[in-house]
């Protein structure tokens, strides 16, 4: 089996990971990429130089947005606030059963 040399992510995965990393629990978030621009003379040899643009990625992150797109994640869905998961996971019938069990009165 070949050794893994690269792991890639789609844009929504990156947004989700960054939302979780920063503990964000609400809002719509999308990836943010800031590019720079530079110029240089490049070529295969000094006799074959050409002016060229160099566009480096300067910053990569997430930003809050008002509308969902294919690049957007909903923080409440991908990273619910602490305690919110527990409320969603426990069915109402289980909560009633626990409450009823604690309310039983001794017989007289």
């Amino acid at each position: 089996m070949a050794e893994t040399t690269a792991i890639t992510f789609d844009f929504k995965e990156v947004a989700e990971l960054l939302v979780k990393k920063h503990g964000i629990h609400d809002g719509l978030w999308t990836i943010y990429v800031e590019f720079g621009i530079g110029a240089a003379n490049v070529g295969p040899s000094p006799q074959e130089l050409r002016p060229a643009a160099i566009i480096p990625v300067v910053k990569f992150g997430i930003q809050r947005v008002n509308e969902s797109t294919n690049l957007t994640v909903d923080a409440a869905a991908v990273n619910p606030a602490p305690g919110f998961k527990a409320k969603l996971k426990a069915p109402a019938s289980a909560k009633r059963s626990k409450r009823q069990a604690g309310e039983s009165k001794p017989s007289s």
Side-chain angles (χ1 to χ4, degrees):
M1 189 163 147
E3 180 182 346
T4 302
T5 58
I7 300 172
T8 61
F9 302 90
D10 68 27
F11 296 121
K12 282 185 107 162
E13 287 177 304
V14 172
E16 180 178 338
L17 290 168
L18 291 173
V19 161
K20 289 177 178 179
K21 167 82 173 150
H22 290 281
I24 299 168
H25 304 294
D26 68 330
L28 298 174
W29 294 84
T30 191
I31 62 156
Y32 169 85
V33 181
E34 185 176 314
F35 296 98
I37 190 155
N41 295 321
V42 298
S45 70
Q47 291 73 34
E48 299 175 90
L49 294 178
R50 300 278 188 257
I54 301 169
I55 305 173
V57 173
V58 177
K59 293 180 184 175
F60 192 84
I62 53 175
Q63 67 182 18
R64 194 172 195 145
V65 294
N66 294 322
E67 294 181 18
S68 185
T69 71
N70 63 311
L71 305 175
T72 307
V73 295
D74 181 349
V78 299
N79 193 32
F84 191 70
K85 286 182 184 178
K87 290 178 186 175
L88 287 177
K89 286 185 179 178
S93 59
K95 289 179 185 176
R96 280 192 296 265
S97 298
K98 287 180 184 177
R99 199 174 32 229
Q100 288 169 350
E103 294 174 356
S104 60
K105 297 179 183 177
S107 50
S108 16

